[in-house]
Amino acid sequence: MNCLVCAQQTMPGLSAWHRVCPACRYESAALEPTINDAQVHVQVDEAQREAGLKAIRQENFKTIIGYATAQAAPGARRLLDVGAAHGWFLEAASGHFQVLGMEPDTAVAQQTAARGLPVRQGFFPDALEADERFDVIVFNDVIEHIPDIRSALAACHERLTPGGILVLNLPNSRGFFYRLSKLFARAGWRAPFERLWQKGLPSPHVHYFQAENLSRLVGMQGLELKMTAELPAVRAAGMLERLRCASQGKMLGVYAQYAAVMLALPLLRMFPSDIVVCIYRKP
Ligand SMILES: [Zn+2]
């Protein structure tokens, strides 16, 4: 199996489904998406999973919208949010752009549309009209789920107006928590590693990038790197809710974890973050 980015022979990783490129450090997983599979859908409490992440996502969305506003061409209006989920990014961006969301999960798309947000059910780019073009296309925690990422990036190039920008917000394989999870997996504790790949969830990750190998792949589709930035994966705001949500009611343990995380935050900031955002421009 050859690397998606640099075509070198990849090597077995930390699991039967995991492979790593020794040349560019691109990582892949042979995990099958089961989106819109009713049986899997029932097993995941979507609302609970999302609630714990809401505060940090919303803070990071504000930062991303600031970057997008700065990098977009003057007069940029139309923004497409691919994988809009519950519409939080659409809400945050609607004051700056004319927004459209796209969401493949039928139930989630219906809930978001019911809140009055402009979301279309379907996959990118199939659910777009033939002549639809955008000044900004955004993927928040989405591109790492798409098996045929080359075609998706080619479609981004096609669907962007000249000077339009592509915003990719995704997990960072240089991130502290991901690298720690690999250390644990080598020692035999695989749960954190599998959790970061979202193994067993309806739409697991199939790629793990860092800014360099991602930019090489995106560059092959004729898009130029404009900026990369790391976003905090852990913030004080919302941390108590996030831990409470994960622990299911054992409050003493939650407060102990909360204290530990708060003490560790300044130390964590010294390491690469687990979230990276890269912005590319169509010439
Ligand atoms: Zn490679």
Side-chain angles (χ1 to χ4, degrees):
M1 278 181 274
N2 292 338
C3 174
L4 181 77
V5 178
C6 73
Q8 294 286 312
Q9 183 79 34
T10 59
M11 290 167 59
L14 296 171
S15 234
W17 46 264
H18 178 230
R19 295 190 74 85
V20 181
C21 173
C24 75
R25 311 311 299 168
Y26 162 75
E27 300 181 32
S28 66
L31 297 169
E32 293 289 326
T34 52
I35 199 162
N36 286 339
D37 179 329
Q39 205 183 354
V40 175
H41 215 276
V42 181
Q43 289 167 7
V44 183
D45 188 349
E46 195 82 31
Q48 199 203 21
R49 191 161 71 83
E50 291 290 325
L53 289 169
K54 189 164 185 174
I56 188 142
R57 288 240 175 111
Q58 285 184 324
E59 277 304 308
N60 285 346
F61 286 167
K62 279 188 216 160
T63 307
I64 291 169
I65 290 160
Y67 292 149
T69 309
Q71 297 293 338
R77 284 295 298 150
R78 296 207 70 199
L79 180 148
L80 176 68
D81 179 18
V82 182
H86 305 284
W88 301 337
F89 188 81
L90 292 176
E91 283 176 307
S94 61
H96 306 263
F97 298 98
Q98 179 196 325
V99 298
L100 173 68
M102 188 159 286
E103 173 53 45
D105 186 304
T106 314
V108 175
Q110 282 169 356
Q111 284 165 25
T112 304
R115 291 174 55 222
L117 291 163
V119 65
R120 197 180 296 170
Q121 195 270 323
F123 284 90
F124 172 82
D126 304 353
L128 290 175
E129 306 289 336
D131 60 346
E132 275 183 299
R133 296 293 182 274
F134 300 90
D135 304 311
V136 183
I137 300 180
V138 183
F139 291 74
N140 287 307
D141 288 315
V142 170
I143 201 83
E144 70 276 16
H145 296 266
I146 300 179
D148 189 1
I149 186 173
R150 274 175 194 277
S151 298
L153 293 171
C156 290
H157 183 275
E158 186 193 339
R159 297 300 183 149
L160 281 171
T161 53
I165 59 167
L166 171 65
V167 180
L168 301 179
N169 162 20
L170 73 166
N172 181 10
S173 66
R174 297 183 67 237
F176 174 79
F177 287 108
Y178 184 59
R179 290 199 290 190
L180 187 63
S181 84
K182 293 209 283 191
L183 269 181
F184 288 147
R186 277 194 192 94
W189 185 35
R190 321 186 67 79
F193 178 71
E194 292 182 351
R195 184 67 190 80
L196 286 173
W197 278 97
Q198 301 196 354
K199 183 177 183 284
L201 291 181
S203 180
H205 295 169
V206 289
H207 316 283
Y208 235 113
F209 292 102
Q210 52 199 48
E212 295 78 9
N213 54 26
L214 177 69
S215 298
R216 193 165 161 184
L217 184 70
V218 178
M220 288 176 208
Q221 301 300 332
L223 297 166
E224 296 170 346
L225 180 66
K226 291 291 288 178
M227 67 163 289
T228 86
E230 288 181 1
L231 299 178
V234 180
R235 280 184 198 261
M239 179 50 66
L240 196 55
E241 290 71 24
R242 198 168 162 183
L243 291 172
R244 196 180 279 150
C245 169
S247 77
Q248 293 162 347
K250 293 168 204 131
M251 285 315 289
L252 194 64
V254 168
Y255 286 117
Q257 285 178 50
Y258 181 68
V261 171
M262 289 299 115
L263 287 170
L265 267 182
L267 192 68
L268 273 176
R269 299 235 160 87
M270 296 167 64
F271 294 95
S273 170
D274 281 66
I275 303 177
V276 65
V277 57
C278 298
I279 301 189
Y280 304 90
R281 181 176 170 277
K282 177 174 172 171

